[in-house]
């Protein structure tokens, strides 16, 4: 998400652990395979989305004639690929992006692109020539690049090229047909031995057949970050007030770190590049800390719980409840074991640490474990300049695809060997007084203090500006007073000598210029801070 490629892959580090632990997945052929998928194949812009172990969602693009599987990432805005691309043109600019699993560096190129039934000529992208610092072999994970589906303003390539040729893929597609609606939809499948009546799909400017109801859902207006930090803009909205309902059926109350957030509402980013949703630590503790046998694993920074623990969690957006499938809340996808070697499952709603927003721009990142439960529509609205319609603010629509009753039954089949033990004593939550809390590291405490200061940067900026203006004002005023006094004295003397002094004296003007130039300094300093501090990921030039 968060910020370009980096954070997206960050979340994969946990997933890649599982590769080491020799994965043993039970992937059954689904008997209900699937009407939606077959229908959609006839639709030119509905393409299948491949699921790698519930940890990566991948679709094919064709770039310069080569078919390339790329990770779908609503949390970043650039396209990058590895390997050879035929018919590509080097644009002579190098970009390097650092992220948790390594550094993606190379040259900005342009080549013809086909994606989801649309053709774009000379799409700018990053041709990564050096993958030596990747901590995992992405090809073995099933992808050879990444497509950012976030707002254009977050594009590093656009920033580098600084003209329309650097626009992101979706911006290019939406700009081609100014009368089509500017939206993308995403339907993510769940890989486990559960019946699911659909497979993953991605569409542009049309809806997956059978899911038309999505356009009736509430339009959740995207919450925008400050204009000066629009590089950090993501697909983010407010939850409803008290809009996160925990396993005990009660709202989980956590204060937002976003200064402008209304009471009891949290800013939530939707990021298909994140395997594990990132939530405030107190929220993660409230979800898993009352489970019998729960343990916090400090190395992996996740809660582990018994695999047969059935939990519930719902999010409320626009007055609609979106339940999370219990298989998505307690995941067996990571092959973890406890100290005695027994298998344990991962509490997927992970305390947010490395993706914590130092600028206080969001509270929660909802990744794949959430997005599998909704069919999601992302409307870019006026983020696309060239459209003649669809000029409203960007918005998100979510259609729940998880039925609580069916999800309960799925869990009983998959994790309880078909015998519903959800009422057993071992499944009951501990009383609040016995709830466990995960430890907060010193680094995390420091982050929180920093956030409290940095998130108020607009106020601090305005405060500094006001201070500079007041100081400049006082200096100017004192000069004027001094000048007037001097003039008055000179006039008196001149009058005494018979000389006319009108039109002299420029020194106060220089004072004003000085005052202005120091405002500019403050402005530039703040702006640089904005871009440097978030998340610790920096783009740098090679
Ligand atoms: C991508 O293309 C390859 C080769 O044609 C195909 O085997 C694979 O299934 C495709 N993947 C997706 C997600 O469509
Ligand atoms: C990758 O490209 C950059 C910029 O063109 C170049 O400096 C670097 O040597 C290349 N690295 C490799 C491994 O080819
Ligand atoms: C543009 O989009 C509209 C609405 O989706 C569609 O009717 C029209 O055929 C499209 N035009 C082109 C040239 O694709
Ligand atoms: C394509 O999708 C639309 C709905 O978006 C549906 O009405 C139409 O029948 C589909 N076309 C085909 C050939 O399946
Ligand atoms: C859209 O328009 C705004 C204001 O006119 C401009 O600053 C911005 O660069 C434009 N964006 C694109 C992608 O053309
Ligand atoms: C959920 O599924 C059950 C059993 O299949 C069905 O009876 C119920 O109507 C469904 N609920 C909703 C809200 O669709
Ligand atoms: C899966 O579908 C089959 C056939 O439709 C049904 O018999 C079975 O109960 C379903 N399993 C689950 C876990 O829902």
């Amino acid at each position: 998400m968060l910020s370009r490629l980096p954070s997206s892959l960050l979340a994969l580090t946990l997933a890649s652990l599982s590769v080491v632990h020799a994965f043993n997945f039970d992937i059954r052929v689904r008997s209900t395979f699937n009407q939606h998928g077959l229908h959609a194949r006839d639709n030119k812009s509905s393409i299948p989305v491949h699921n790698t172990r519930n940890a990566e969602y991948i679709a094919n693009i064709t770039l310069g004639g080569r078919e390339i599987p790329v990770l779908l990432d609503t949390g970043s805005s650039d396209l990058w690929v590895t390997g050879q691309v035929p018919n590509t043109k080097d644009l002579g600019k190098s970009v390097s992006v650092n992220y948790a699993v390594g550094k993606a560096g190379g040259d900005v190129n342009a080549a013809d692109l086909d994606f989801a039934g649309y053709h774009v000529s000379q799409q700018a992208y990053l041709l990564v020539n050096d993958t030596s610092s990747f901590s995992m072999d992405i090809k073995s994970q099933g992808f050879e690049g990444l497509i950012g589906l976030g707002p254009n303003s977050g594009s590093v390539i656009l920033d580098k090229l600084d003209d329309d040729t650097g626009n992101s893929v979706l911006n290019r597609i939406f700009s081609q047909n100014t009368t089509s609606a500017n939206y993308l939809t995403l339907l993510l499948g769940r890989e486990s031995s559960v019946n699911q009546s659909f497979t993953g799909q991605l569409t542009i400017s049309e809806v997956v057949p059978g899911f038309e109801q999505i356009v009736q859902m509430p339009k959740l207006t995207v919450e925008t970050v400050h204009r000066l930090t629009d590089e950090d803009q993501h697909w983010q909205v407010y939850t409803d007030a008290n809009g996160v309902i925990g396993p005990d059926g009660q709202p989980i109350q956590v204060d937002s770190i976003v200064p402008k957030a209304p009471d009891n509402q949290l800013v939530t980013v939707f990021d298909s590049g994140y395997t594990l949703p990132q939530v405030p630590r107190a929220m993660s503790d409230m979800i898993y800390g009352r489970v019998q046998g729960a343990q916090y694993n400090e190395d992996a920074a996740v809660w582990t719980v018994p695999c047969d623990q059935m939990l519930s969690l719902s999010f409320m957006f626009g007055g609609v409840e979106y339940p999370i499938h219990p298989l998505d809340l307690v995941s067996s996808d990571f092959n973890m074991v406890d100290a005695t070697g027994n298998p344990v499952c991962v509490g997927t709603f992970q305390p947010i640490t490395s993706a914590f927003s130092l600028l206080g721009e969001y509270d929660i990142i909802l990744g794949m474990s959430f997005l599998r439960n909704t069919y999601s529509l992302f409307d870019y609205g006026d983020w696309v300049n060239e459209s003649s319609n669809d000029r409203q603010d960007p918005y998100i629509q979510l259609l729940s695809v998880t039925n609580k009753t069916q999800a309960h039954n799925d869990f009983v089949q998959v994790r309880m060997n078909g015998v519903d033990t959800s009422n057993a004593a071992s499944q009951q939550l501990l009383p609040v007084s016995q709830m466990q809390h995960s430890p907060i590291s010193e680094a995390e405490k420091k982050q929180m203090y920093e956030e409290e200061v940095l998130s108020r940067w607009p106020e601090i900026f305005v405060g500094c500006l006001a201070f500079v203006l007041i100081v400049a004002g006082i200096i100017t005023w004192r000069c004027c007073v001094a000048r007037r006094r001097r003039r008055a004295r000179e006039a008196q003397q001149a009058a005494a000598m018979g000389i006319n002094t009108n039109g002299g004296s420029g020194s106060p003007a220089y004072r004003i210029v000085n005052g202005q130039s120091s405002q500019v300094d403050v402005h530039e300093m703040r702006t640089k801070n904005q871009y440097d501090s978030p998340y610790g990921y920096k783009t740098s030039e090679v």
Side-chain angles (χ1 to χ4, degrees):
M1 115 160 235
L2 288 226
S3 58
R4 350 219 133 138
L5 1 165
S7 33
S8 315
L9 289 175
L10 172 73
L12 300 179
T13 49
L14 225 175
S16 62
L17 289 177
S18 56
V19 181
V20 182
H21 295 126
F23 243 83
N24 179 18
F25 241 102
D26 179 13
I27 306 167
R28 287 185 207 160
V29 177
R30 292 169 195 115
S31 52
T32 51
F33 189 86
N34 94 47
Q35 292 171 324
H36 299 304
L38 294 177
H39 271 249
R41 216 162 283 163
D42 298 327
N43 260 306
K44 70 159 188 153
S45 65
S46 183
I47 58 166
V49 173
H50 175 79
N51 176 356
T52 303
R53 298 191 320 273
N54 286 338
E56 287 133 32
Y57 287 92
I58 295 162
N60 281 339
I61 62 170
T62 304
L63 190 62
R66 173 183 153 211
E67 190 163 43
I68 308 175
V70 292
L71 197 78
L72 301 172
D73 185 13
T74 58
S76 67
S77 309
D78 289 294
L79 172 64
W80 62 262
V81 302
T82 60
Q84 302 291 316
V85 175
N87 310 312
T88 190
K89 189 171 117 199
D90 193 326
L91 298 183
K93 306 242 174 166
S94 298
V95 177
S96 155
V97 188
N98 298 317
Y99 52 96
V101 295
K103 189 168 97 171
D107 288 346
V108 178
N109 272 246
D112 287 354
L113 172 76
D114 288 287
F115 178 53
Y118 291 85
H119 180 82
V120 179
S121 71
Q122 296 300 299
Q123 171 65 48
Y125 69 99
L126 176 61
L127 183 55
V128 174
N129 68 347
D130 182 6
T131 55
S132 59
S133 66
F134 283 19
S135 63
M136 63 173 175
D137 176 11
I138 61 170
K139 206 162 174 174
S140 74
Q141 305 280 309
F143 64 101
E144 292 161 48
L146 177 148
I147 186 166
L149 305 170
N152 211 28
S153 63
S155 166
V156 179
I157 293 173
L158 175 64
D159 192 45
K160 186 77 189 182
L161 296 183
D162 204 24
D163 63 36
D164 282 357
T165 60
N167 283 342
S168 66
V169 172
L170 285 179
N171 203 283
R172 293 288 307 278
I173 290 173
F174 294 137
S175 302
Q176 285 176 9
N177 185 341
T178 56
T179 57
S180 65
N182 301 331
Y183 69 75
L184 166 93
T185 79
L186 207 48
L187 183 62
L188 303 181
R190 182 176 299 106
E191 189 178 272
S192 49
S193 46
V194 185
N195 292 340
Q196 198 169 46
S197 61
F198 57 81
T199 53
Q201 303 284 322
L202 178 150
T203 66
I204 293 175
S205 299
E206 67 184 49
V207 170
V208 174
F211 294 85
E212 290 79 6
Q213 209 194 327
I214 193 165
V215 299
Q216 313 296 329
M217 300 310 290
K219 291 182 177 175
L220 311 170
T221 303
V222 169
E223 189 267 344
T224 50
V225 300
H226 196 282
R227 208 164 54 82
L228 280 181
T229 56
D230 69 355
E231 279 199 357
D232 301 334
Q233 181 68 56
H234 293 101
W235 287 111
Q236 58 192 47
V237 304
Y238 288 117
T239 63
D240 291 352
N242 297 317
V244 185
I245 316 296
D248 60 359
Q250 299 302 310
I252 296 179
Q253 280 170 329
V254 175
D255 286 336
S256 177
I257 64 164
V258 182
K260 65 177 171 177
D263 284 352
N264 302 319
Q265 290 181 261
L266 297 169
V267 177
T268 305
V269 171
F270 297 99
D271 189 338
S272 67
Y274 260 91
T275 304
L276 301 182
Q278 305 289 299
V279 298
R281 185 173 287 283
M283 180 176 285
S284 183
D285 290 356
M286 281 194 256
I287 298 171
Y288 302 108
R290 289 170 63 191
V291 171
Q292 299 177 47
Q295 287 184 327
Y296 188 73
N297 181 321
E298 286 195 54
D299 293 333
V302 289
W303 282 99
T304 61
V305 295
C307 287
D308 64 354
Q309 177 70 45
M310 191 185 302
L311 290 175
S312 66
L313 182 73
S314 290
F315 283 79
M316 305 284 303
F317 294 105
V320 177
E321 180 183 4
Y322 296 93
I324 310 296
H325 198 299
L327 289 172
D328 289 330
L329 264 172
V330 174
S331 168
S332 62
D333 294 341
F334 301 96
N335 286 5
M336 284 185 76
V337 291
D338 65 14
T340 58
N342 291 319
V344 285
C345 277
V346 167
T348 51
F349 284 69
Q350 183 181 33
I352 188 167
T353 51
S354 48
F356 180 80
S357 174
L358 277 180
L359 291 182
E361 288 171 330
Y362 55 84
D363 299 292
I364 294 177
I365 303 166
L366 291 179
M368 304 167 192
S369 299
F370 174 88
L371 291 170
R372 277 192 286 277
N373 296 281
T374 58
Y375 175 45
S376 314
L377 183 154
F378 300 93
D379 192 299
Y380 293 70
D382 62 7
W383 277 344
V384 182
N385 278 2
E386 292 81 2
S387 293
S388 55
N389 64 355
D390 206 352
R391 300 309 305 161
Q392 73 277 62
D393 289 337
Y395 63 85
I396 297 171
Q397 286 173 303
L398 301 172
L399 178 66
S400 175
V401 295
T402 295
N403 171 316
K404 279 189 188 176
T405 313
Q406 285 170 7
H408 182 107
N409 294 338
D410 283 350
F411 194 88
V412 170
Q413 295 303 322
V414 176
R415 297 278 178 81
M416 295 174 165
N417 293 319
V419 183
D420 188 348
T421 53
S422 58
N423 286 322
S426 62
Q427 290 267 329
Q428 304 312 307
L429 297 176
L430 296 170
V432 177
S433 58
Q434 292 175 33
M435 176 177 143
Q436 298 186 66
H437 295 269
S438 56
I440 308 175
S441 71
E442 286 306 315
E444 219 174 319
K445 281 184 199 154
K446 189 162 154 266
Q447 273 187 338
M448 287 185 218
Y449 290 130
E450 285 172 359
E451 189 274 340
E452 277 183 28
V453 176
L454 287 176
S455 66
R456 273 140 187 102
W457 73 266
E459 289 85 348
I460 294 170
F461 176 52
V462 169
C464 288
L465 200 65
F467 178 74
V468 168
L469 287 176
I470 288 167
V471 169
I474 290 171
I475 291 171
T476 309
W477 178 74
R478 291 190 56 164
C479 283
C480 285
V481 170
R483 188 182 61 178
R484 240 178 253 145
R485 288 214 187 102
R486 197 175 61 236
R487 282 237 196 105
R489 252 198 324 275
E490 283 167 1
Q492 278 173 358
Q493 289 168 359
M497 297 174 181
I499 304 169
N500 184 351
T501 57
N502 272 355
S505 158
S507 73
Y510 291 114
R511 296 269 183 209
I512 291 166
V513 168
N514 283 343
Q516 278 172 347
S517 74
S518 60
Q519 286 168 36
V520 170
D521 288 344
V522 171
H523 176 274
E524 280 176 0
M525 199 185 72
R526 298 295 329 171
T527 307
K528 284 205 193 96
N529 269 349
Q530 277 339 298
Y531 298 142
D532 283 356
S533 50
Y535 331 126
Y537 306 114
K538 288 176 204 159
T539 53
S540 56
E541 300 176 16
V542 180

